[in-house]
Amino acid sequence: MGLLSLLRKFQKEADREVRILLLGLDNAGKTTILKALADEDITHIMPTQGFNIKSVATTGFKLNVWDIGGQKKIRPYWKNYFENTDVLIYVIDSTDKKRFDETGVELLELLEEEKLSKVPVLIYANKQDLLKSVKPSEIATALQLSSAIRDRQWQIQACSALTKEGIKDGMEWVYSSLGAQKKK
Amino acid sequence: MGNLLGFCYKSETVLQKEEDTKPVFSWDKREDLDPADYCFEDLEGVTRGKLPGQINGQQFSIENCKDCILFVLDNVASLTVDDCTNCVIFIGPSKGSVFIRDCTDVKLAVCCQQFRTRDCKRIDTYLHSNTQPIIESSVGMKFACLQINYPLLADQVKSSGVSLFNNEWSNIYDFTPVEHNSNFSLLPETAKFDTYLTEEHISSISSSNKVAFSSHNSLFPLTVGTHSRDGFGNTALLSVFLGQVDDYVEVHKLLKTVQNCECRLRRSKETRMNTDTVIRIYGESERSQNFNKFAKDGPVIGFEVEGDIDTLRSTLPELQGVLVYLSTDKTSSKDINNFFNYVDMTMST
């Protein structure tokens, strides 16, 4: 199933706007994921200085994806975007072992945010296509995700924004988490 | 249900389902490569190199090296340089980002899609970056336009997808600016990367790969970027419509002419254009109709040239299979604005 047909599926089953927040450290691949979601060219992407938004829309359904720059200096501004978030997508550069601690700390801080409480979290273990990538299961262990994430739905998904593999699988989980949310 | 779906070692039914539908990704079938062959780590006082074909577009990393000369004459997927001191480093074209962290006193020559630094001190970078370079928490950063060539570089650039003509080397964005001072500056226009090297360094890496860091035969065009104009003649827009030609031999011929008639390039961009855009930039005329035919089939390159434009106009060479446009005194400033505003707008994400 292509991304488009997946989105059509969204369209049939969910008749609302969904606000998705895309966060993670600088160089994690957030903008490349954003562009992959919108089916846009990914060969010319510059480091994000502020934020990018894309609406991936089909009739009656709209994914509003907010991609916020991840430099240390601008992480304090992430909180300006928390309000009304339906799903948090947290992107990790799976090859950047040097900063696993740093990305883990940032994620934990996000999980403690009042405005993001109970918001489902999809963690994209990005750059799996690269030689030095660490498997999602190892990242989950290194970041102690199963003990750190409580009281919310979460998933870690291997992906490569470059080859677009795994992106769709992650979005399917996003969809199922929204469905579960609705039933509450 | 969160944890079950998230990390499902617990529920057998969920596990079963996962296995049945588990997609096979390209990385599940990756050939068995030894990561140790794709890095330089913990080296001190040595010269080391990787030759064309040894890295083949894989990810590369350099970590914890001191007083070293390090060369990678091959293209890479991405590069990280961490915790290095007093090193001279050259890396071939990087399809993705080059990320320099916690380094001090490094001389670096790189061409890449993205260039980023954090927590660095005194890095001289000879740079060709397709997008705006960014620095964060870095001081004493100096930049120059990368000039280099060696026999397989053109092929490596092509397979990396790096554009030869999109170079933002001098357009630095600083995430952590300080008052009354700048964390970055440009190296003098006369700065040369090979002053950090001796013939022995290069020949010890490879005698068969003639690496030249001179602007004479550089594959990447020399642009002056944000260096001051110093009354360097007039300016004009020089455009090349490549059409169906898929190499840059003719463009390099043209650039030789530019050099020979005392002109220089301030900036250059490569882009694709549709009919509307061609007309918006070059005006509605018979000429634009012709441009359109070419723009449909291939990229358009634009150079802002400065110097003796009249001499350049009278010595423009005959080129095979491509169209060349040089703006006139009347149109130059409008053409330059139209072209570069369009490109900056379409490429700003």
Side-chain angles (χ1 to χ4, degrees):
Chain A
M1 184 166 56
L3 203 54
L4 204 66
S5 52
L6 176 69
L7 291 172
R8 290 215 181 90
K9 194 170 138 201
F10 274 125
Q11 175 195 344
K12 279 183 203 140
E13 295 173 21
D15 188 19
R16 62 162 168 144
E17 287 201 22
V18 174
R19 182 182 160 101
I20 295 176
L21 192 55
L22 205 51
L23 297 176
L25 301 189
D26 45 319
N27 201 45
K30 295 178 294 298
T31 308
T32 311
I33 286 178
L34 177 76
K35 291 205 159 197
L37 286 174
D39 216 9
E40 289 180 13
D41 175 39
I42 54 164
T43 58
H44 192 94
I45 295 176
M46 62 191 277
T48 304
Q49 290 170 17
F51 64 91
N52 304 299
I53 321 173
K54 296 231 178 271
S55 290
V56 185
T58 50
T59 329
F61 189 84
K62 206 170 160 196
L63 283 179
N64 294 316
V65 189
W66 294 67
D67 154 38
I68 320 293
Q71 256 71 26
K72 189 164 201 250
K73 170 77 185 199
I74 57 176
R75 286 175 214 157
Y77 302 111
W78 285 356
K79 62 175 183 296
N80 300 340
Y81 301 87
F82 291 162
E83 203 97 44
N84 300 321
T85 296
D86 293 303
V87 178
L88 172 64
I89 297 181
Y90 193 79
V91 186
I92 294 176
D93 175 350
S94 308
T95 71
D96 196 1
K97 293 186 199 87
K98 181 181 160 94
R99 298 206 296 173
F100 278 177
D101 283 348
E102 186 175 335
T103 196
V105 167
E106 294 292 349
L107 176 59
L108 287 194
E109 284 185 15
L110 287 171
L111 295 173
E112 277 162 24
E113 291 288 345
E114 179 70 20
K115 283 179 180 161
L116 293 177
S117 69
K118 297 206 168 65
V119 169
V121 181
L122 170 68
I123 297 161
Y124 271 132
N126 192 24
K127 307 197 188 182
Q128 288 293 322
D129 57 306
L130 295 182
L131 179 64
K132 291 167 193 184
S133 60
V134 174
K135 289 198 165 55
S137 55
E138 290 168 46
I139 294 175
T141 309
L143 272 57
Q144 299 181 308
L145 294 183
S146 28
S147 62
I149 311 182
R150 277 169 264 113
D151 307 326
R152 77 175 78 216
Q153 306 175 68
W154 69 281
Q155 166 82 312
I156 185 162
Q157 173 65 50
C159 81
S160 161
L162 194 74
T163 67
K164 296 197 176 180
E165 292 169 285
I167 298 292
K168 186 188 69 173
D169 308 78
M171 290 311 290
E172 270 167 9
W173 181 85
V174 166
Y175 167 63
S176 72
S177 79
L178 286 167
Q181 234 182 1
K182 235 180 169 181
K183 278 173 213 151
K184 274 176 208 162
Chain B
M1 82 183 266
N3 279 348
L4 288 181
L5 268 176
F7 239 99
C8 42
Y9 330 94
K10 290 170 193 164
S11 156
E12 268 178 39
T13 50
V14 175
L15 251 182
Q16 188 61 45
K17 194 178 154 232
E18 288 268 307
E19 271 167 19
D20 286 345
T21 59
K22 202 181 173 197
V24 178
F25 296 121
S26 58
W27 49 84
D28 298 323
K29 301 174 284 185
R30 184 165 44 215
E31 58 180 318
D32 213 7
L33 301 172
D34 184 357
D37 295 333
Y38 298 85
C39 63
F40 293 128
E41 267 177 32
D42 307 320
L43 299 172
E44 193 171 338
V46 295
T47 300
R48 288 279 186 280
K50 299 284 182 188
L51 299 178
Q54 282 189 315
I55 306 303
N56 265 323
Q58 294 291 341
Q59 183 180 20
F60 200 85
S61 60
I62 299 176
E63 266 179 71
N64 197 32
C65 293
K66 203 179 161 205
D67 308 325
C68 290
I69 293 187
L70 306 170
F71 268 60
V72 176
L73 299 179
D74 206 348
N75 56 309
V76 300
S78 67
L79 168 73
T80 47
V81 182
D82 291 325
D83 306 287
C84 290
T85 310
N86 196 35
C87 292
V88 178
I89 298 170
F90 166 74
I91 300 276
S94 171
K95 182 176 187 171
S97 64
V98 166
F99 203 177
I100 317 294
R101 303 176 295 194
D102 303 294
C103 290
T104 309
D105 295 312
V106 169
K107 318 290 184 197
L108 183 69
V110 285
C111 41
C112 52
Q113 183 63 233
Q114 289 187 348
F115 182 82
R116 305 165 176 260
T117 76
R118 189 173 127 187
D119 300 313
C120 287
K121 262 186 213 156
R122 295 183 301 273
I123 313 291
D124 290 2
T125 307
Y126 291 70
L127 179 63
H128 181 95
S129 176
N130 281 175
T131 58
Q132 184 172 27
I134 66 104
I135 62 173
E136 183 179 23
S137 308
S138 299
V139 298
M141 308 297 285
K142 292 183 185 170
F143 293 87
C145 181
L146 176 67
Q147 295 291 280
I148 187 176
N149 211 347
Y150 53 87
L152 287 166
L153 181 59
D155 292 341
Q156 293 172 2
V157 167
K158 198 170 180 182
S159 58
S160 72
V162 168
S163 161
L164 288 180
F165 304 102
N166 289 325
N167 189 2
E168 296 281 325
W169 71 269
S170 66
N171 182 22
I172 318 296
Y173 182 82
D174 186 357
F175 273 94
T176 48
V178 286
E179 257 186 275
H180 312 303
N181 211 342
S182 178
N183 293 319
F184 64 92
S185 59
L186 306 189
L187 283 158
E189 286 179 67
T190 50
K192 297 257 184 295
F193 190 73
D194 51 12
T195 52
Y196 315 119
L197 302 164
T198 63
E199 274 301 315
E200 289 90 76
H201 288 136
I202 295 180
S203 61
S204 75
I205 292 158
S206 162
S207 52
S208 60
N209 287 280
K210 289 259 172 241
V211 184
F213 290 97
S214 89
S215 51
H216 188 62
N217 280 316
S218 173
L219 185 68
F220 301 100
L222 177 66
T223 52
V224 289
T226 53
H227 273 300
S228 81
R229 270 184 56 75
D230 297 332
F232 205 89
N234 299 320
T235 59
L237 176 69
L238 178 64
S239 281
V240 187
F241 293 77
L242 282 175
Q244 294 181 347
V245 174
D246 72 345
D247 62 49
Y248 299 109
V249 176
E250 300 299 302
V251 184
H252 279 107
K253 252 188 237 169
L254 181 64
L255 293 181
K256 262 270 147 336
T257 310
V258 171
Q259 256 181 0
N260 289 342
C261 53
E262 308 279 306
C263 289
R264 63 183 191 184
L265 307 178
R266 178 151 295 275
R267 49 183 168 163
S268 79
K269 285 284 179 189
E270 179 177 15
T271 188
R272 298 294 295 239
M273 284 180 194
N274 61 24
T275 306
D276 289 348
T277 309
V278 170
I279 289 168
R280 206 163 71 226
I281 292 173
Y282 301 94
E284 191 151 22
S285 67
E286 226 169 281
R287 195 184 55 209
S288 290
Q289 306 250 322
N290 214 9
F291 290 168
N292 260 322
K293 285 181 201 146
F294 278 72
K296 239 181 269 160
D297 291 332
V300 184
I301 300 165
F303 301 102
E304 182 178 343
V305 284
E306 55 195 37
D308 187 350
I309 304 297
D310 292 335
T311 305
L312 175 61
R313 191 182 313 282
S314 60
T315 52
L316 279 180
E318 285 285 325
L319 298 178
Q320 296 292 316
V322 305
L323 278 186
V324 175
Y325 168 78
L326 181 63
S327 64
T328 62
D329 286 353
K330 269 187 197 161
T331 62
S332 283
S333 87
K334 189 174 97 245
D335 287 348
I336 290 169
N337 279 333
N338 283 352
F339 182 88
F340 288 99
N341 287 349
Y342 164 75
V343 177
D344 288 344
M345 192 183 70
T346 52
M347 288 186 175
S348 61
T349 314

